[in-house]
Amino acid sequence: QLQASGGGLVQAGGSLRLSCTASGSIFSGNAMRWFRQAPGTQRELVAAISTGGTTTHADSVKGRFTISRDNARNTVYLQMNNLRPEDTGVYYCNAGLSMFTVQRRDYWGQGTQVTVSS
């Protein structure tokens, strides 16, 4: 129900854009979020956008990453600029009622790998 794409291998300082497409009913009724998980770490919230377009970004990515949503395409994007090696991880798309808390009813995409080389 959530299909993520756009990951890959990039050098430090480079850019990637992640995309996540959801079914219409899921997309229109939920906040959309990107999480990431590096090996040996817990999954962390990277950015979120409400149904009305309010956004929030983790301090570690502020000024470098931008989340946006295209309601006509049922797609959420994560534009990642000036990537750093510490941004490496699996990035997961999520749809849920809350921008900040994970709930059992949330929907998850399959994850897309982002690797930043130094």
Side-chain angles (χ1 to χ4, degrees), residues 11-95:
Q11 289 187 332
S15 297
L16 285 173
R17 188 176 79 157
L18 305 183
S19 301
C20 175
T21 300
S23 64
S25 60
I26 292 174
F27 189 84
S28 62
N30 289 281
M32 299 299 296
R33 300 180 288 183
W34 288 99
F35 288 80
R36 69 184 178 190
Q37 187 169 21
T41 69
Q42 289 188 331
R43 195 172 294 187
E44 64 172 343
L45 177 64
V46 176
I49 185 166
S50 71
T51 55
T54 300
T55 63
T56 186
H57 298 79
D59 287 343
S60 59
V61 306
K62 280 181 181 176
R64 301 187 298 121
F65 292 11
T66 303
I67 190 170
S68 62
R69 64 191 292 161
D70 184 336
N71 293 331
R73 297 177 183 271
N74 295 336
T75 301
V76 62
Y77 302 99
L78 185 67
Q79 177 66 44
M80 305 186 294
N81 298 327
N82 192 20
L83 282 158
R84 303 168 181 170
E86 54 264 38
D87 295 319
T88 294
V90 179
Y91 283 68
Y92 296 92
C93 176
N94 167 284

